[in-house]
Amino acid sequence: MIIVMQSQASDADIEHVISRIEELGLKAHLSKGTERTVIGVIGDERLIKKDQFSLLPRVENVIPILKPYKLASRDFKAADSVVDVAGVKIGGKRIAVMAGPCSVESERQLMATAHAVKASGASLLRGGAYKPRTSPYAFQGLGEDGLKLLAKAREETGLGIVTEVMESAEVDLVAEYADLLQVGARNMQNSKLLRTLSLIRKPILLKRNFSATLNEFLMSAEYILFGGNDQVILCERGIRTFVEYTRNTLDLNVVPAVKQLSHLPIIVDPSHGTGRHDLILPMSRAAIAAGADGLIIEVHPEPAEALSDGDQSLTPKAFDRLMKEAGTIARAMGREL
Amino acid sequence: MIIVMQSQASDADIEHVISRIEELGLKAHLSKGTERTVIGVIGDERLIKKDQFSLLPRVENVIPILKPYKLASRDFKAADSVVDVAGVKIGGKRIAVMAGPCSVESERQLMATAHAVKASGASLLRGGAYKPRTSPYAFQGLGEDGLKLLAKAREETGLGIVTEVMESAEVDLVAEYADLLQVGARNMQNSKLLRTLSLIRKPILLKRNFSATLNEFLMSAEYILFGGNDQVILCERGIRTFVEYTRNTLDLNVVPAVKQLSHLPIIVDPSHGTGRHDLILPMSRAAIAAGADGLIIEVHPEPAEALSDGDQSLTPKAFDRLMKEAGTIARAMGREL
Amino acid sequence: MIIVMQSQASDADIEHVISRIEELGLKAHLSKGTERTVIGVIGDERLIKKDQFSLLPRVENVIPILKPYKLASRDFKAADSVVDVAGVKIGGKRIAVMAGPCSVESERQLMATAHAVKASGASLLRGGAYKPRTSPYAFQGLGEDGLKLLAKAREETGLGIVTEVMESAEVDLVAEYADLLQVGARNMQNSKLLRTLSLIRKPILLKRNFSATLNEFLMSAEYILFGGNDQVILCERGIRTFVEYTRNTLDLNVVPAVKQLSHLPIIVDPSHGTGRHDLILPMSRAAIAAGADGLIIEVHPEPAEALSDGDQSLTPKAFDRLMKEAGTIARAMGREL
Amino acid sequence: MIIVMQSQASDADIEHVISRIEELGLKAHLSKGTERTVIGVIGDERLIKKDQFSLLPRVENVIPILKPYKLASRDFKAADSVVDVAGVKIGGKRIAVMAGPCSVESERQLMATAHAVKASGASLLRGGAYKPRTSPYAFQGLGEDGLKLLAKAREETGLGIVTEVMESAEVDLVAEYADLLQVGARNMQNSKLLRTLSLIRKPILLKRNFSATLNEFLMSAEYILFGGNDQVILCERGIRTFVEYTRNTLDLNVVPAVKQLSHLPIIVDPSHGTGRHDLILPMSRAAIAAGADGLIIEVHPEPAEALSDGDQSLTPKAFDRLMKEAGTIARAMGREL
């Protein structure tokens, strides 16, 4: 941590900061520049609070030097992590595609989708049983009945299932059914949920909140790793910007950025990321070309009848085309799909 | 709801849309313009899903006409709502100031703060027992012990208490202690928590998520109202923008905007809204001049020792000055503080 | 244009709006819904100002139906436009790569770069003679001397040149030297510059402002088309968001979005778009996979010595690798590079 | 400037950085922490380019210590600057209100507005002769005829005039007529215009670009100060965020922030800042309570007939009410209006 003193700081002000640093059992390192005096704080930065210094007299600024996360960083683990979800390896050479409806609506809808996405080559089946909705007037999901239908679809198709868990009290129930537990974007910083998930032995799909910085995203992964669960897959699903043409702005820059900073795999959700079914195909290709380890795509047999997210769902036929085009890009990248 | 057809839409395309509208038991109203045909859908818009039409062939756009919320709107209730929190009326002539530490840290810290803010004229005592933190390495709050200390502070000072509840399973426990239950910004769209809070008989302080639009903010209030709890107070606490000087961008525009669209009271949190103790005073004055019904301010006896949010906390002395200056603006607005 | 009346609007209020519409020589079309009366305005929407109606009593909202641009739209011209820049076709099957230094600094620097990018397969040479800089203390460009060096590099290498023009008074001078005149992001809405460029017979590279919506971007193209210059190439170069890891957030979503709405070609600038040399390669691949018609890349023989933008420049060697990898993706897309 | 080395940096990497620093005639100051080595660069930071170091091997990050502006800072000049515009002092005890139409449309419109705002107590008359418009189909201003009408209005009312200048070639012409030359938000970083304005002897009103950070805003002021013109008034007019209810998000936080960092006066434009006439009054009060030195307000005798910005213009009657309410807040702040 670096403490920058104001230009008017006196020797006494500087002494005051140094004695505070030493009081805390840390070491100070002084550097007098032409316009500012700068004091380095030597010690474990994650245990130092910025405001222990920023509020002292004549302190202009306190600048952290280290990233706030440790277990999620490449410094901690240089090799790419590969997460196994029901036999599907995520983070390796093969690009994984998770597909299925936004919400589980009925047995008929789910089975039709599951068989279709399986036939097109999807690796995992997604579907929501608990739905976080903006409006109290909207469909809120089938709950445990939805989970049972997902389990049945797994039995019929052999596809592992991905589904969202919305609060810590439901973790055990959802973990009974799911192969991969999804933390939705709105829950990315639900610390109690993250802590509970850190204690189970199932892989976690952590979606980026639509206004999370990269540091915040990786800090949420850190919560899960810190508790002892190292099976974390990250997912970019669009950020909130001033842009209005797309529902969100899919931020593909985060894919190579995560690859630099972290060993964790990252997949991309172009359905939520754009909110427009007609942008899913090109943005899926782009995600793979940017280096993503997988895709998660909303597919519905009849999007215009969907109880949620119809606008951003593909028909099975459009999904089949996506798999072919995405496969071509994957091969150009030296990967498989 | 208005359906705009593409310029190339044929009569058959238009007929298709109309028959779909009628299938759903609604009425269609056709209008041919010079460049586009537009079809009005007549019926209860809150029950119609946009994508039932947007995915039909040759539909260019589907535009909602009504606001998505109803119970929270001025159309539904023209008069200002006034919420009673432990005898303090919020939304009336008197501006309410809630003050206290970010986190309850110890009995000594809490009592010192409680007595100080009471002496300066605060109406309610704030303090966090359950803390949503970005980092797993940071202080996570005292939990129920914190609630007990808050209850003790109420006993000693007579100030009603405001504290955050973080998930539905904890609502009963927190409601036992708190006079006003706070939904934090990160939980603004936690639909299960909102539904649980809609069933209790205590007032709720709903903080705006840092990337929530006004519609989303009012839709979260709608969840609570819809379940039967009409004691909702809104709180603006800063939005996430590209601006880096302040931790968040306090959006005071939302204050008069809420006053136009809704009957609910709204207060402002300049501590989180700016993240800088040295901006709290001017932004508090501005909040009152914009028409806010109250303030919520972080106060700590020794900000540099605070376990959280020291940077955005006032000392008791600075808070006392704030109360005086805010009072002057309140009186210029024809209100009291 | 659709006028939505407030729920309290009386028959007289509605009549008032209708007579105003008719006064303006337009036709009104009335539709009474269950909660709101809606009035359609029939006539050329581009000539109607929204506030002619929005300020009338009891008007709740005025909603435009048409896109504000016409000549830039796919409705106006269905086939892709192809722009010829010094014999290089942009918008066709072949993906064009423009490369070169941020600023022209010296003959030695420019020639070294020009020969290198030519050898790696670039189609055009970029380089700035007039530089818009944030700081008055920074290098501001060589001006006309820089243009002369660019002309010399063209002579030596045969590469057409792309360079920025910063104000209308300089258009003639820059047009004398450049094959493609660039409007920088900061000038995207400089209407006088756009109007001047609309009157010349050289192709224009229009960069998206970092906070421009898609409508605003296409409206700036409309200025140039409206004046009679139909040789416009769009360029995405990153938008400003809350994200701090990248200098800007490269918004690849705009590429397929432009392809839907407009016939104009669009290229991508991953140097400015990310501000990080280590993200240029993956984002270049992603841009092509998203459907971009070209790339514009900063290359400098010694980035650490560059007078501007070193952080986001590739070395000639890294650029050579980019050309190979981008070529592989281009071929997977059925295109060439 | 602080250079942070990667954790894997060897002694040779560190030596390499140090010798580079010394090559540039600067001094290095080494500090070895528990996880990172940090090197301070001692010398005039404004002359050092970050990428001279950030591209060296094993450098993780380069962090500037100083603000990039100097002449605009409080460090440079501690006392508040007061700018005299045609006898009106801006930045002192009295709050200045500039009012008038968005565009000068006709003599009748301008004179009616000028007399009305003068009667209500405005200090200066605003009005646009050159208009930067998003659409080529919109009214582009009267040009020099507009300037002449403004001069005539000054003669009749005695009010000094404020009007926009859009490019460097027009500075002399506009300076002949205007008392205060406005740089519009879109031109905030037009460096040639800023340089030209730095050479004249008239005061400048510099509007913040809608996506400018505070540093960028002050750097644009620095351009004008650096050239020798110290009569700069800053103006906040709303930033672009995800919020859609208001046209822009008026960022009042910037007012006290500018007061901390700079000696320059700052005024607020709630017309552009919100884009809604019904929010101008509360946000004007809030601006004054936040510490603004003035307001600039759009007023039109018949907003529904305005050729531009009718939606965000006040009628003379509403402006008169605003002056009264703003005056009450000004007095509560110990100022006058």
Side-chain angles (χ1 to χ4, degrees):
Chain A
M1 197 166 272
I2 296 287
I3 300 170
V4 183
M5 301 300 295
Q6 293 176 7
S7 57
Q8 318 94 303
S10 67
D11 285 354
D13 294 324
I14 293 169
E15 268 314 306
H16 185 182
V17 173
I18 291 174
S19 61
R20 177 82 174 127
I21 292 172
E22 292 170 350
E23 240 175 76
L24 292 164
L26 303 161
K27 279 174 61 186
H29 187 271
L30 195 75
S31 166
K32 297 211 175 204
T34 42
E35 300 192 42
R36 289 288 186 284
T37 292
V38 161
I39 306 168
V41 184
I42 300 175
D44 186 349
E45 192 170 301
R46 282 176 204 91
L47 305 176
I48 310 171
K49 287 181 302 97
K50 211 181 136 189
D51 27 20
Q52 289 176 313
F53 305 111
S54 57
L55 296 165
L56 298 178
R58 302 282 180 204
V59 167
E60 184 167 283
N61 206 358
V62 178
I63 304 170
I65 293 300
L66 297 183
K67 302 272 181 274
Y69 47 85
K70 183 171 185 173
L71 308 174
S73 74
R74 279 258 181 229
D75 277 358
F76 179 77
K77 177 169 182 287
D80 286 347
S81 288
V82 176
V83 177
D84 185 310
V85 180
V88 176
K89 303 257 186 295
I90 295 172
K93 194 183 179 189
R94 181 175 289 271
I95 286 167
V97 181
M98 312 175 186
C102 174
S103 303
V104 178
E105 297 169 5
S106 69
E107 181 164 349
R108 199 166 147 267
Q109 169 244 20
L110 184 64
M111 298 306 155
T113 313
H115 285 292
V117 302
K118 160 103 179 176
S120 298
S123 318
L124 295 167
L125 176 65
R126 64 149 286 154
Y130 298 91
K131 300 300 307 171
R133 303 302 300 277
T134 303
S135 165
Y137 305 110
F139 175 62
Q140 309 271 328
L142 295 181
E144 193 173 354
D145 289 346
L147 295 177
K148 287 179 180 161
L149 289 175
L150 285 165
K152 196 168 173 191
R154 173 172 50 198
E155 233 171 274
E156 283 206 18
T157 60
L159 293 172
I161 62 181
V162 190
T163 198
E164 179 164 355
V165 56
M166 282 173 59
E167 61 171 16
S168 60
E170 287 164 355
V171 166
D172 285 345
L173 178 67
V174 176
E176 230 177 87
Y177 293 93
D179 298 292
L180 176 58
L181 282 84
Q182 174 181 317
V183 177
R186 297 175 188 192
N187 268 324
M188 190 200 83
Q189 293 194 312
N190 181 332
S191 47
K192 190 151 183 200
L193 177 59
L194 298 174
R195 270 198 303 272
T196 307
L197 292 169
S198 77
L199 303 172
I200 66 167
R201 290 294 157 267
K202 287 251 171 147
I204 309 301
L205 181 65
L206 179 67
K207 296 191 111 178
R208 180 186 183 189
N209 182 266
F210 46 86
S211 54
T213 64
L214 183 45
N215 268 356
E216 289 168 343
F217 191 18
L218 291 173
M219 279 310 275
S220 289
E222 186 86 358
Y223 258 100
I224 304 173
L225 299 169
F226 180 65
N229 185 349
D230 60 2
Q231 302 176 70
V232 177
I233 302 164
L234 303 171
C235 180
E236 158 63 22
R237 46 75 75 210
I239 56 172
R240 183 151 280 184
T241 69
F242 65 84
V243 173
E244 56 203 1
Y245 185 72
T246 42
R247 180 172 158 193
N248 295 292
T249 298
L250 187 69
D251 174 18
L252 292 182
N253 309 279
V254 86
V255 173
V258 159
K259 292 288 171 197
Q260 289 173 358
L261 296 171
S262 178
H263 53 88
L264 297 172
I266 180 165
I267 69 169
V268 169
D269 175 350
S271 293
H272 287 89
T274 66
R276 297 183 67 106
H277 62 94
D278 49 8
L279 297 183
I280 294 175
L281 173 59
M283 295 314 286
S284 292
R285 290 188 316 241
I288 295 173
D293 296 305
L295 299 170
I296 182 164
I297 309 275
E298 293 191 338
V299 178
H300 194 286
E302 291 171 281
E305 306 293 329
L307 296 180
S308 58
D309 280 1
D311 266 343
Q312 60 193 47
S313 296
L314 293 184
T315 59
K317 195 177 150 190
F319 177 68
D320 194 65
R321 183 179 159 208
L322 178 145
M323 288 298 286
K324 288 191 176 59
E325 296 206 16
T328 308
I329 300 294
R331 284 183 296 276
M333 291 286 293
R335 299 181 81 165
E336 294 158 23
L337 183 134
Chain B
M1 199 167 270
I2 296 287
I3 300 170
V4 183
M5 301 300 295
Q6 293 176 8
S7 57
Q8 318 95 305
S10 68
D11 285 355
D13 294 325
I14 292 168
E15 268 314 307
H16 186 181
V17 173
I18 292 174
S19 62
R20 177 79 173 129
I21 292 170
E22 290 171 349
E23 241 175 75
L24 292 164
L26 303 161
K27 279 175 61 183
H29 188 270
L30 196 73
S31 166
K32 297 211 175 206
T34 41
E35 299 191 42
R36 290 287 186 284
T37 293
V38 162
I39 306 168
V41 184
I42 300 174
D44 186 349
E45 194 170 300
R46 283 176 204 90
L47 306 176
I48 310 173
K49 286 180 304 96
K50 212 181 134 187
D51 29 20
Q52 289 175 314
F53 304 112
S54 57
L55 296 165
L56 299 177
R58 303 280 179 207
V59 167
E60 185 167 282
N61 205 358
V62 178
I63 303 168
I65 292 300
L66 297 183
K67 301 275 180 273
Y69 48 85
K70 185 170 181 171
L71 308 175
S73 74
R74 279 258 182 231
D75 277 358
F76 179 77
K77 176 167 183 290
D80 286 347
S81 288
V82 175
V83 177
D84 185 311
V85 180
V88 176
K89 302 255 186 295
I90 296 171
K93 193 184 179 190
R94 181 176 289 270
I95 287 168
V97 181
M98 310 173 187
C102 174
S103 305
V104 177
E105 297 170 7
S106 69
E107 181 164 348
R108 201 167 144 267
Q109 168 243 23
L110 185 63
M111 297 306 154
T113 314
H115 284 292
V117 302
K118 161 101 179 177
S120 298
S123 318
L124 295 166
L125 176 66
R126 64 148 289 155
Y130 298 92
K131 299 300 307 172
R133 303 302 300 277
T134 302
S135 165
Y137 305 110
F139 175 61
Q140 310 271 328
L142 294 181
E144 193 173 354
D145 288 345
L147 296 177
K148 285 178 183 161
L149 290 175
L150 285 164
K152 194 166 173 193
R154 173 175 47 201
E155 233 169 275
E156 283 206 18
T157 61
L159 293 173
I161 64 180
V162 190
T163 198
E164 179 164 354
V165 57
M166 282 175 58
E167 63 171 13
S168 60
E170 288 164 354
V171 167
D172 285 346
L173 177 66
V174 176
E176 231 176 85
Y177 293 92
D179 298 291
L180 176 60
L181 283 83
Q182 175 180 317
V183 178
R186 298 175 187 188
N187 268 324
M188 189 201 85
Q189 292 195 313
N190 181 333
S191 47
K192 191 151 181 199
L193 177 59
L194 298 175
R195 270 198 303 273
T196 307
L197 292 170
S198 77
L199 302 171
I200 65 167
R201 288 295 156 267
K202 286 252 171 146
I204 310 300
L205 180 66
L206 179 67
K207 295 191 113 177
R208 182 186 183 188
N209 182 267
F210 46 84
S211 54
T213 64
L214 183 45
N215 268 355
E216 289 167 345
F217 191 18
L218 291 174
M219 280 310 276
S220 289
E222 187 86 358
Y223 257 99
I224 304 172
L225 299 169
F226 180 65
N229 184 349
D230 60 2
Q231 300 176 72
V232 178
I233 301 163
L234 303 171
C235 180
E236 157 64 21
R237 45 77 73 210
I239 57 172
R240 184 152 279 187
T241 70
F242 64 86
V243 173
E244 53 203 2
Y245 186 71
T246 42
R247 179 172 161 194
N248 296 290
T249 298
L250 188 70
D251 175 17
L252 291 183
N253 308 279
V254 85
V255 173
V258 159
K259 291 288 171 198
Q260 289 174 358
L261 296 171
S262 177
H263 52 88
L264 296 172
I266 180 165
I267 70 167
V268 169
D269 175 350
S271 293
H272 287 89
T274 65
R276 298 182 66 104
H277 63 95
D278 49 8
L279 297 182
I280 294 177
L281 173 59
M283 296 313 286
S284 293
R285 289 188 315 240
I288 295 173
D293 297 305
L295 299 170
I296 182 165
I297 309 275
E298 293 189 337
V299 178
H300 194 286
E302 291 170 282
E305 305 293 328
L307 296 180
S308 57
D309 280 2
D311 265 343
Q312 61 193 45
S313 296
L314 293 185
T315 58
K317 193 176 152 191
F319 177 68
D320 194 66
R321 181 177 160 209
L322 178 144
M323 288 298 287
K324 289 192 174 59
E325 295 206 17
T328 308
I329 301 294
R331 284 184 295 277
M333 292 286 292
R335 300 180 82 165
E336 294 157 23
L337 183 133
Chain C
M1 199 165 274
I2 296 287
I3 301 170
V4 183
M5 301 299 294
Q6 292 176 9
S7 57
Q8 319 92 305
S10 67
D11 286 356
D13 294 325
I14 293 168
E15 268 315 306
H16 186 181
V17 173
I18 292 174
S19 61
R20 177 80 174 128
I21 292 171
E22 290 171 350
E23 242 175 74
L24 293 164
L26 303 160
K27 277 174 61 183
H29 186 271
L30 195 73
S31 166
K32 297 212 176 205
T34 42
E35 300 192 40
R36 290 288 187 282
T37 291
V38 160
I39 305 168
V41 184
I42 299 174
D44 187 350
E45 194 171 301
R46 281 176 207 89
L47 307 176
I48 311 172
K49 286 181 303 99
K50 211 182 132 185
D51 29 20
Q52 289 175 314
F53 304 112
S54 57
L55 295 164
L56 298 178
R58 303 279 180 206
V59 168
E60 184 167 283
N61 205 357
V62 178
I63 304 169
I65 293 301
L66 297 183
K67 302 273 181 272
Y69 48 85
K70 184 169 184 169
L71 308 174
S73 74
R74 279 259 180 229
D75 278 358
F76 180 76
K77 177 167 182 289
D80 285 347
S81 287
V82 176
V83 177
D84 186 309
V85 180
V88 176
K89 304 256 185 293
I90 295 170
K93 193 183 179 190
R94 182 175 289 271
I95 286 166
V97 181
M98 312 175 185
C102 173
S103 304
V104 178
E105 297 169 7
S106 69
E107 181 165 349
R108 196 165 150 269
Q109 168 243 24
L110 185 64
M111 297 307 155
T113 313
H115 284 292
V117 303
K118 162 103 178 176
S120 299
S123 319
L124 296 166
L125 177 66
R126 63 149 287 155
Y130 298 91
K131 300 300 307 171
R133 302 303 299 278
T134 303
S135 166
Y137 306 109
F139 176 61
Q140 311 271 329
L142 295 181
E144 192 172 355
D145 289 344
L147 296 176
K148 286 178 182 161
L149 290 175
L150 284 165
K152 194 165 174 196
R154 173 173 49 202
E155 233 170 274
E156 283 207 18
T157 60
L159 293 173
I161 62 179
V162 190
T163 199
E164 179 163 354
V165 57
M166 280 175 59
E167 62 171 15
S168 59
E170 289 165 353
V171 166
D172 285 346
L173 177 67
V174 176
E176 231 177 86
Y177 293 92
D179 298 291
L180 176 59
L181 283 83
Q182 175 181 316
V183 178
R186 297 176 187 190
N187 267 325
M188 190 199 85
Q189 294 195 312
N190 181 332
S191 46
K192 189 150 184 200
L193 177 59
L194 298 175
R195 270 198 305 271
T196 307
L197 292 170
S198 78
L199 302 171
I200 67 168
R201 289 294 156 266
K202 286 252 170 147
I204 309 300
L205 181 65
L206 179 67
K207 294 192 113 179
R208 180 185 183 190
N209 180 267
F210 46 85
S211 53
T213 64
L214 183 45
N215 269 355
E216 288 166 346
F217 191 18
L218 291 173
M219 281 310 277
S220 290
E222 187 86 358
Y223 257 100
I224 303 172
L225 299 169
F226 180 65
N229 184 349
D230 59 2
Q231 301 176 73
V232 178
I233 302 165
L234 303 171
C235 180
E236 158 63 22
R237 45 78 73 212
I239 57 173
R240 183 151 280 187
T241 69
F242 65 86
V243 174
E244 53 201 2
Y245 186 72
T246 43
R247 181 173 159 191
N248 295 292
T249 297
L250 188 70
D251 174 17
L252 291 182
N253 309 279
V254 85
V255 173
V258 158
K259 291 288 171 197
Q260 288 173 359
L261 296 171
S262 178
H263 52 88
L264 297 171
I266 179 165
I267 70 168
V268 169
D269 175 349
S271 293
H272 287 89
T274 65
R276 296 182 68 104
H277 63 95
D278 50 8
L279 297 183
I280 294 176
L281 173 59
M283 296 314 286
S284 292
R285 292 189 314 242
I288 295 174
D293 296 306
L295 298 170
I296 181 163
I297 308 275
E298 293 190 338
V299 179
H300 194 286
E302 291 171 281
E305 307 292 328
L307 295 180
S308 57
D309 279 2
D311 266 343
Q312 62 193 44
S313 296
L314 293 184
T315 58
K317 194 176 151 191
F319 177 68
D320 194 65
R321 181 179 160 208
L322 178 144
M323 288 299 286
K324 288 191 175 61
E325 295 206 17
T328 307
I329 301 293
R331 284 185 295 278
M333 291 286 293
R335 301 181 81 164
E336 293 158 23
L337 182 133
Chain D
M1 197 166 274
I2 296 287
I3 300 171
V4 183
M5 301 301 294
Q6 293 175 8
S7 57
Q8 317 95 304
S10 67
D11 284 355
D13 294 325
I14 293 169
E15 268 315 306
H16 186 182
V17 173
I18 292 174
S19 60
R20 179 80 174 128
I21 292 171
E22 291 170 351
E23 241 176 75
L24 293 163
L26 302 162
K27 276 175 60 186
H29 187 272
L30 194 74
S31 166
K32 296 213 177 204
T34 42
E35 300 191 39
R36 290 285 186 286
T37 291
V38 161
I39 306 167
V41 185
I42 300 175
D44 186 350
E45 193 170 302
R46 283 176 203 89
L47 306 176
I48 311 172
K49 287 182 302 97
K50 210 181 135 188
D51 28 20
Q52 289 175 313
F53 305 111
S54 57
L55 295 164
L56 298 178
R58 304 280 181 205
V59 167
E60 185 168 282
N61 206 358
V62 178
I63 304 169
I65 292 299
L66 297 183
K67 301 273 181 277
Y69 46 86
K70 184 169 181 170
L71 308 175
S73 74
R74 280 258 181 230
D75 277 357
F76 180 76
K77 176 169 184 288
D80 287 346
S81 287
V82 175
V83 178
D84 185 310
V85 181
V88 176
K89 303 257 186 295
I90 296 171
K93 194 183 178 190
R94 180 175 289 273
I95 287 167
V97 181
M98 312 175 185
C102 174
S103 304
V104 177
E105 297 170 6
S106 70
E107 182 165 349
R108 199 168 146 266
Q109 169 244 21
L110 185 64
M111 297 306 156
T113 313
H115 284 292
V117 302
K118 160 101 178 176
S120 298
S123 319
L124 295 166
L125 176 66
R126 61 149 289 155
Y130 298 91
K131 299 300 306 171
R133 303 302 299 277
T134 304
S135 166
Y137 306 110
F139 175 63
Q140 310 271 329
L142 296 180
E144 193 173 354
D145 288 346
L147 295 177
K148 287 178 180 160
L149 290 176
L150 285 165
K152 193 166 175 196
R154 174 174 46 201
E155 233 170 276
E156 283 208 17
T157 61
L159 293 173
I161 64 180
V162 190
T163 198
E164 179 164 353
V165 57
M166 281 174 59
E167 60 171 16
S168 59
E170 288 165 355
V171 166
D172 285 346
L173 177 66
V174 176
E176 231 177 87
Y177 293 93
D179 298 292
L180 176 61
L181 283 83
Q182 174 180 316
V183 177
R186 296 174 188 191
N187 269 325
M188 189 200 84
Q189 293 194 313
N190 182 331
S191 45
K192 191 152 182 198
L193 177 59
L194 297 175
R195 270 197 303 272
T196 308
L197 292 170
S198 78
L199 303 171
I200 66 169
R201 289 294 157 266
K202 286 252 171 147
I204 311 300
L205 181 65
L206 178 67
K207 295 191 114 179
R208 180 185 183 188
N209 181 266
F210 45 87
S211 53
T213 63
L214 182 46
N215 268 355
E216 289 167 345
F217 191 18
L218 291 174
M219 281 309 277
S220 290
E222 187 86 358
Y223 258 100
I224 304 172
L225 299 170
F226 180 66
N229 184 348
D230 61 1
Q231 301 175 74
V232 178
I233 301 164
L234 303 171
C235 180
E236 157 64 21
R237 46 76 74 212
I239 57 172
R240 184 151 280 187
T241 70
F242 65 85
V243 173
E244 54 202 2
Y245 185 71
T246 42
R247 181 174 159 192
N248 295 292
T249 298
L250 187 69
D251 174 18
L252 292 183
N253 309 278
V254 86
V255 173
V258 159
K259 291 288 171 197
Q260 288 174 358
L261 297 171
S262 178
H263 53 87
L264 297 171
I266 180 165
I267 69 167
V268 169
D269 175 350
S271 293
H272 287 90
T274 65
R276 298 182 66 105
H277 63 93
D278 49 7
L279 296 184
I280 294 175
L281 173 58
M283 295 313 286
S284 293
R285 289 189 315 242
I288 296 173
D293 296 306
L295 299 170
I296 180 164
I297 309 274
E298 293 190 339
V299 178
H300 194 285
E302 290 170 281
E305 306 293 328
L307 295 180
S308 57
D309 280 1
D311 266 343
Q312 61 193 45
S313 296
L314 293 185
T315 58
K317 194 177 151 189
F319 177 69
D320 194 65
R321 183 179 159 208
L322 178 144
M323 288 298 286
K324 289 192 174 59
E325 295 206 15
T328 307
I329 300 293
R331 283 184 295 276
M333 292 286 293
R335 300 181 80 164
E336 292 158 24
L337 184 135

